[in-house]
Amino acid sequence: MTGHRRHCSHLRGRATGGPLVTTKKPMREAVAHTRTPILAHLEAHWSLLPRKGRRDTKTPHLHDDEEVCIVLDGGAHFRTEAKLFDELNATRGTFVYYPSMIEHSMAMRSETLQYLCIRFFSHDALRALKALLAAGGNEKHLAVAPRERLSFDEPPGAPLTAPAVFIPHKASAPPATSGPDAPLLPERRVFVHAATAGLQLLHVHSTAMQPGKAKQSHADATHDIIIVVLQGAVTLLPRGDVLQANDVAVLPAGSNHGLRNDGPDCSLHYAIEFHGNPIASQKRTLLL
C-alpha cells in the first residue's frame, strides 16, 4: 500500500440486519456516521496527511465522545494535555484510545501519514449522562457501570480512564507469503480488555488467519464490532464481501457474520468490540 491510497465509505445494510462495508474513493470522506444497537453515535473516517499543506490534525481539541485511532501507514506523534507519546514509535498498527473530554492532537513523523479515526458515544453513556446532568453533576464524571458477568474467560483489566497507546505487533508482522517456511503469528492476541467511562467493555484483539482458515458465521447480541484489515484479505461471511488491507466492516450487535481467508497469504485484522446494553428498537442505520 502506498501512503497516498485512500479508502472511504459508501455504507450499506441495516444496524440489526447486516454489516456495513466500505468501498473506496480517492478522497477524504466518512467511513461511518450512524448509530447502532450499542452506540448512540458512531463516526469513523480515514485521514491522510499532509492535507492542504497541513502536517497535523488541528490545534489541540477535545470532544464529549470517546475516540480510537489506528495508524495505517507512516509514523505519528500523539499529543495529549499531559503527555507526548513520541517515544512509542507510533507506526502501522499502533492503536490509541482517548477518553472523552481529553485534549489531544496528532502530527506526522513521516513523509505521509494515513490513519483511521473512530469516535463513539454509547446508549448506556447517553442514559448515564442524562441522569448525571439531571442530578446537577458534571459530564467529566460520567462513568458507565461495567458488566458484572461477561462472556470472556479473562476478567477485565483496570478501566481506561486516561489516554493509552498499544503496539500489539511491534516486534513482528504477518509474513508476506505463506508456506512451510513462513513464520507464524499468534492466531489471536488480546491487547485491550477494559471498561471505559462510556462502555461496559472495550475489547480489541488482533487475529492472524492462515489461508483456508475461517471463523464461522455467528451473531453477537451484546456488542457491536468493527473489523479493520491490516494485511492480506478476508471474505466477510455470509455476504461474500472481500475486505482487503485498510478496509473496514461495521458489524452491529445481532448481525450474522464470519470471516474466511480465501487468499494465498496470511491475513491480519483487528476486531474492536463495543459492549453495552443494546437498544432493541434500533432497526435501521441512519447515513448522513
Side-chain angles (χ1 to χ4, degrees), residues 47-180:
S47 286
L48 177 67
L49 293 175
R51 184 172 65 249
K52 297 181 179 179
R54 286 171 38 198
R55 296 182 58 84
D56 55 11
T57 52
K58 59 175 69 173
T59 55
H61 61 287
L62 52 80
H63 36 74
D64 58 6
D65 43 10
E66 300 173 86
E67 181 176 334
V68 160
C69 182
I70 302 173
V71 176
L72 299 175
D73 192 45
H77 300 288
F78 291 100
R79 297 177 182 271
T80 71
E81 57 190 10
K83 188 173 182 180
L84 171 65
F85 292 121
D86 280 347
E87 72 279 5
L88 294 176
N89 189 26
T91 55
R92 180 171 175 79
T94 299
F95 180 99
V96 183
Y97 166 77
Y98 294 116
S100 62
M101 306 305 293
I102 294 291
E103 191 175 87
H104 61 278
S105 64
M106 181 172 62
M108 300 169 56
R109 61 181 299 167
S110 57
E111 291 186 3
T112 59
L113 171 63
Q114 186 180 11
Y115 61 95
L116 173 66
C117 175
I118 303 169
R119 290 171 53 177
F120 56 93
F121 199 89
S122 72
H123 293 290
D124 288 336
L126 185 59
R127 287 190 291 266
L129 179 61
K130 289 180 178 178
L132 182 66
L133 296 179
N138 187 295
E139 61 186 286
K140 284 193 173 184
H141 299 146
L142 173 68
V144 170
R147 185 174 300 167
E148 293 183 1
R149 300 184 65 181
L150 296 164
S151 56
F152 290 96
D153 293 332
E154 65 270 26
L160 288 173
T161 58
V165 177
F166 305 89
I167 309 179
H169 63 280
K170 181 178 180 180
S172 59
T177 59
S178 299

Side-chain angles (χ1 to χ4, degrees), residues 13 54-55 81 150 153 159 172 188 202 215 218 235 263-264 277 281 287-288:
R54 286 171 38 198
R55 296 182 58 84
E81 57 190 10
L150 296 164
D153 293 332
S172 59
R188 185 174 183 271
L202 176 64
K215 173 75 171 178
H218 61 287
T235 300
N277 293 303
S281 61
L287 303 180
L288 303 181

